[in-house]
Amino acid sequence: MNKDSSSQQVTINSEIARNAIKQYDFNSVKLKFLKHLENTTFKLSTEQGNFLLRVYCGLQNTVQDIESEAKIIEYLSNCNNSQYQKPIYNNSHNFVSMVEASGIAKPVSILSWIDSPIIGNQVNDLSLFEQLGKLVAHIHNQLANWQKPINFKRPMFDADGLIGSNGAFGYANLGYKYFDNQTVSLFESVYQRLIDFEAVNGKQKNIFGIIHGDLHLNNVILHQNTLIPIDFDDSGWGYYIYDLAVILAKYSEMAEYSKIKTSLIKGYRSIKELSIEIENKLSLFMAARYICLALFLAGKSEEESIKQTALEYIPSYVAKLKDIIAYV
C-alpha cells in the first residue's frame, strides 16, 4: 500500500488519536472515525461526555497556530454567554498535544461536542443568512476588542496570504504549477487588484482584524434556534469583507442569491458598520476566494484523499472566477 494513501493516513492518525487520549483524564473512551480531509476527525465518547478530536495534517498546522486558534474559540465562548465547541486542556494545560505513532508525530486537539446538526447546503429558510450576517459581525466586533495573548500566531489572509506564491494555506506555490498560462494570468490580475485595494485602504482596525475565514452554513450548527460557528481552522488576520465574500461565493449560483446577499448584508450592518465602498469590493474578494480554493486543491491534488475532489471542484472554481471577473 502506498505510504501516502488515504487509508494508511487514517490508520496512522487513528493510532495517533488513541495515543493522544492518554494525555487527558478521560474514562471509558470510545473513538469513532468521522472523516479525513485536510485533518482527520473522530468522535470521542467518554464518561465525561462526547468530544471532537482532530489530528492535524496541513502545512500551516503548527502547534503555535493551533494553540492560537483554540484561544480564539476560548475567548469567544466567554463573551456574552455565547456557545461554541470549547477547546479542552490536556494534562499539561495545553490545548494541543504533539503525539507520535509509527514514527510520525502530529498535533492533536480536542473540542467539546455539540449534539445538533450542521445546517449544510440545503437552505430552505433564507432568514438564516440575516442571522449569519449578525453572527459574523459579532465575531468581528468581539475579536477586535480582544487583547491577544503572548505568542499568538495565525495566518495572514491578505493578497499574499490568499493567492500570492505562499498563499492558499501554504499550497499556492505547488498549485500555480497546475494551471495554464492564461489561467495564471487571470489569477495574477486579481492579485494585483487586491494589492491596489490594500494600498488604498491599508489595514485599519475598522476593516481588518481576526476573521473566521470559512463561515458558510456547512460550518454552522443550528442548536436550540441559535447559530453556532464551528471549524476555526482557517481563522486568521484578514479583511472583514472576506468573511462575507466566503459566504456569498458558496451560494453564488443559487437562484435566491440576490436575496441571500441582501439578507446577509442587512444582518451584518445591524451589528457592525460596512461602508458602500467596501461592500462594492465583495466581487473582488469572492474572486480571491475562488482562486484560493483552486490553488489549495491543485497544490494537494496528488494526495489520494483530495485527488477526486480536486478534479471535480477546480474547474468549477475557475469557471466561477471567469463569471465574476468583469465585476471585480
Side-chain angles (χ1 to χ4, degrees):
M1 181 166 53
N2 188 306
K3 68 178 181 179
D4 294 324
S5 70
S6 177
S7 59
Q8 185 158 353
Q9 285 188 53
V10 171
T11 299
I12 292 172
N13 291 347
S14 296
E15 187 179 351
I16 288 174
R18 286 191 291 271
N19 289 342
I21 295 168
K22 299 172 185 176
Q23 299 191 29
Y24 298 80
D25 290 326
F26 293 128
N27 298 319
S28 302
V29 300
K30 181 180 179 182
L31 201 62
K32 178 183 177 182
F33 170 74
L34 296 176
K35 65 180 179 179
H36 173 69
L37 290 171
E38 176 65 1
N39 303 314
T40 308
T41 54
F42 302 86
K43 182 177 181 179
L44 173 62
S45 300
T46 76
E47 285 185 0
Q48 292 94 324
N50 296 325
F51 302 87
L52 177 72
L53 186 151
R54 291 191 291 182
V55 179
Y56 294 83
C57 311
L59 290 177
Q60 292 189 327
N61 291 137
T62 68
V63 170
Q64 188 178 3
D65 277 311
I66 304 166
E67 283 281 349
S68 297
E69 174 197 345
K71 288 173 182 175
I72 290 173
I73 305 169
E74 181 186 46
Y75 172 76
L76 288 171
S77 68
N78 292 328
C79 292
N80 301 322
N81 298 315
S82 300
Q83 188 165 359
Y84 289 82
Q85 284 185 296
K86 294 185 178 181
I88 307 300
Y89 283 107
N90 63 19
N91 291 336
S92 300
H93 202 68
N94 295 314
F95 286 128
V96 183
S97 303
M98 201 68 189
V99 186
E100 184 176 330
S102 302
I104 297 172
K106 294 183 180 180
V108 176
S109 74
I110 296 179
L111 299 167
S112 62
W113 183 272
I114 298 176
D115 199 16
S116 290
I118 292 171
I119 295 174
N121 290 323
Q122 300 301 316
V123 185
N124 299 316
D125 182 3
L126 295 185
S127 69
L128 287 173
F129 288 97
E130 185 171 346
Q131 295 180 55
L132 188 56
K134 292 179 179 180
L135 175 61
V136 174
H138 274 302
I139 290 173
H140 292 171
N141 280 341
Q142 288 165 346
L143 292 177
N145 296 321
W146 180 34
Q147 186 66 42
K148 313 300 183 291
I150 297 173
N151 295 325
F152 181 81
K153 180 178 177 288
R154 291 301 296 165
M156 181 75 69
F157 296 114
D158 53 7
D160 287 319
L162 287 171
I163 59 176
S165 59
N166 294 313
F169 313 102
Y171 291 94
N173 193 40
L174 290 172
Y176 270 106
K177 300 174 184 177
Y178 181 98
F179 298 98
D180 59 37
N181 291 338
Q182 184 178 10
T183 304
V184 170
S185 293
L186 194 61
F187 291 179
E188 289 174 344
S189 70
V190 174
Y191 174 79
Q192 187 56 54
R193 286 175 171 86
L194 286 172
I195 291 293
D196 293 342
F197 172 88
E198 292 174 13
V200 171
N201 295 281
K203 293 176 179 176
Q204 303 169 50
K205 187 177 179 180
N206 62 322
I207 62 171
F208 187 92
I210 299 294
I211 61 174
H212 180 284
D214 198 25
L215 195 55
H216 45 74
L217 293 177
N218 278 330
N219 282 332
V220 175
I221 290 174
L222 182 60
H223 181 70
Q224 299 175 354
N225 296 317
T226 299
L227 301 188
I228 299 176
I230 62 172
D231 197 353
F232 280 76
D233 197 35
D234 293 352
S235 60
W237 298 94
Y239 288 96
Y240 294 137
I241 192 68
Y242 180 68
D243 258 351
L244 298 176
V246 165
I247 298 166
L248 295 177
K250 181 76 173 178
Y251 306 105
S252 62
E253 293 184 326
M254 289 183 64
E256 302 89 349
Y257 173 75
S258 180
K259 293 179 180 178
I260 289 171
K261 179 179 178 181
T262 299
S263 295
L264 181 71
I265 299 300
K266 178 182 177 183
Y268 190 87
R269 279 204 173 106
S270 70
I271 304 296
K272 183 174 176 58
E273 181 182 358
L274 174 65
S275 71
I276 294 296
E277 292 76 17
I278 297 297
E279 181 189 348
N280 287 340
K281 297 299 180 179
L282 271 169
S283 295
L284 172 61
F285 282 89
M286 289 171 68
R289 174 66 170 179
Y290 294 137
I291 296 171
C292 183
L293 292 175
L295 288 171
F296 171 74
L297 289 177
K300 292 175 66 69
S301 60
E302 295 305 312
E303 298 180 18
E304 286 296 326
S305 62
I306 297 292
K307 186 175 293 184
Q308 188 56 45
T309 301
L311 290 172
E312 180 180 354
Y313 282 96
I314 289 174
S316 171
Y317 292 137
V318 173
K320 289 178 180 179
L321 172 64
K322 292 177 178 177
D323 286 342
I324 203 172
I325 195 68
Y327 304 99
V328 170

